[in-house]
């Protein structure tokens, strides 16, 4: 079963993660869902696929009333990101979902209507969640054509979506990355194949280096903290990705 753990807390401002599920079927990709609390209301990042909704919901309600989920942040359009939207709307029909403008015509196929989705421009935007101000950060083509991260400048936490993701074996259960060099083997193939654009990668690394996050929280795998955030940015900046990394036979 999934469990929820707090990773940041300052008065009524809190981040928690609903982390990996070692009992999940092996044909499903593992995901992390993050809860950002302020003034008794919650924002969920990439709340997951419909098939894991019961596990996410069960872990959440151990510590937070599900009816108090006010906002959802969808980094992009994949089913493991947000295909559970219709189920969350049953819990609270007034939930609003922030997503790239590119996907506002696609996500209603999962659920909701035109009023459910708040389109975010390519350059990102400020998101006011109760007493805190967040900001969506461009991460386009990493891997989705319309992709955004979520930055919390007060907590200095970046929800990085698929950037920083790792596909961990069942015996790797650490929430926080403990050995960066060892962790590379779990994320290298994913980044080489799923990250599409060298230009986008370089721009993202420069942008995030300027923010100087204390914590980088991906949607898959373990969380980077402290010096490992910079280690990841430096490693990613030098990695060959996309067509530069794909070896295909000559025609």
């Amino acid at each position: 079963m999934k469990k929820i753990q707090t990773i940041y807390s300052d008065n009524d401002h809190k981040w928690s993660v609903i982390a990996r599920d070692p009992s999940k079927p092996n044909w499903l990709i593992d995901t992390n869902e993050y809860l950002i609390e302020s003034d008794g209301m919650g924002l969920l990042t990439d709340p997951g696929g419909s098939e894991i909704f019961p596990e996410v919901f069960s872990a959440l309600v151990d510590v937070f009333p599900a009816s108090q989920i006010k906002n959802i942040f969808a980094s992009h359009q994949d089913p493991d990101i947000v295909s559970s939207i219709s189920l969350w709307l049953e819990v609270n029909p007034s939930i609003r979902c922030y997503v790239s403008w590119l996907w506002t015509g696609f996500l209603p196929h999962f659920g909701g209507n035109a009023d459910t989705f708040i389109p975010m421009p390519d350059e990102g935007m400020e998101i006011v969640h109760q007493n805190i101000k967040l900001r969506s950060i461009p991460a386009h083509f990493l891997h989705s054509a319309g992709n955004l991260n979520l930055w919390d400048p007060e907590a200095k936490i970046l929800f990085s979506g698929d950037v920083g993701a790792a596909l961990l074996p069942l015996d790797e259960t650490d929430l926080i990355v403990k050995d960066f060099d060892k962790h590379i083997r779990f994320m290298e193939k994913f980044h080489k194949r799923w990250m599409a654009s060298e230009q986008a990668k370089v721009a993202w690394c420069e942008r995030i280096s300027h923010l100087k996050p204390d914590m980088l929280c991906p949607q898959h795998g373990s969380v980077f903290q402290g010096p490992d955030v910079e280690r990841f940015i430096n490693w990613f900046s030098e990695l060959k990705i996309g067509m530069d990394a794909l070896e295909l036979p000559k025609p």
Side-chain angles (χ1 to χ4, degrees):
M1 294 292 291
K2 279 177 165 286
K3 295 182 179 179
I4 189 165
Q5 301 179 60
T6 299
I7 57 174
Y8 172 88
S9 183
D10 183 15
N11 295 318
D12 75 337
H13 181 185
K14 181 187 282 189
W15 276 70
S16 301
V17 55
I18 303 169
R20 302 175 61 233
D21 181 2
S23 64
K24 72 166 184 63
N26 61 9
W27 60 85
L28 293 175
I29 191 168
D30 221 341
T31 58
N32 300 323
E33 293 76 34
Y34 297 89
L35 170 68
I36 306 171
E37 297 177 50
S38 177
D39 192 29
M41 303 300 290
L43 180 152
L44 273 179
T45 68
D46 289 2
S50 57
E51 76 291 339
I52 63 163
F53 174 81
E55 287 76 18
V56 175
F57 184 87
S58 177
L60 175 77
V61 297
D62 278 346
V63 300
F64 189 81
S67 60
Q68 298 301 102
I69 298 296
K70 179 181 180 181
N71 296 310
I72 284 173
F73 178 88
S75 62
H76 59 289
Q77 83 292 354
D78 279 354
D80 67 309
I81 302 297
V82 70
S83 64
S84 62
I85 183 70
S86 62
L87 299 170
W88 287 107
L89 288 167
E90 289 183 17
V91 175
N92 180 4
S94 66
I95 283 175
R96 294 295 176 264
C97 178
Y98 291 88
V99 67
S100 166
W101 66 272
L102 195 63
W103 306 123
T104 53
F106 289 76
L107 263 61
H109 289 279
F110 293 138
N113 55 46
D115 294 330
T116 303
F117 300 99
I118 299 174
M120 293 185 287
D122 285 342
E123 66 272 20
M125 62 181 281
E126 182 178 80
I127 297 172
V128 178
H129 176 60
Q130 300 301 104
N131 296 329
I132 58 176
K133 293 181 179 179
L134 309 170
R135 183 157 191 92
S136 54
I137 302 292
H140 308 300
F141 300 101
L142 300 174
H143 65 93
S144 170
N147 200 88
L148 291 139
N149 296 167
L150 186 63
W151 169 239
D152 184 335
E154 183 178 333
K156 296 189 74 66
I157 297 175
L158 179 76
F159 169 63
S160 58
D162 280 333
V163 183
L167 304 180
L168 300 176
L170 289 177
D171 60 349
E172 294 287 337
T173 59
D174 291 331
L175 177 62
I176 306 295
V177 173
K178 291 185 176 179
D179 185 335
F180 182 84
D181 291 335
K182 178 182 177 182
H183 194 70
I184 288 173
R185 74 185 72 172
F186 304 129
M187 59 180 178
E188 186 169 20
K189 289 182 180 179
F190 181 91
H191 285 77
K192 281 183 174 180
R193 183 57 191 258
W194 286 91
M195 302 297 148
S197 167
E198 176 71 18
Q199 182 179 353
K201 180 197 74 173
V202 171
W204 184 90
C205 290
E206 292 177 352
R207 188 177 292 116
I208 304 309
S209 292
H210 179 73
L211 294 176
K212 299 185 182 303
D214 288 339
M215 199 175 296
L216 189 149
C217 298
Q219 195 227 354
H220 308 285
S222 302
V223 170
F224 299 89
Q225 192 174 41
D228 281 336
V229 175
E230 185 176 1
R231 288 189 184 103
F232 171 76
I233 294 170
N234 291 339
W235 171 82
F236 188 39
S237 69
E238 296 174 2
L239 185 70
K240 287 186 177 181
I241 61 170
M243 290 302 295
D244 292 335
L246 187 62
E247 296 181 2
L248 294 174
K250 293 182 179 180

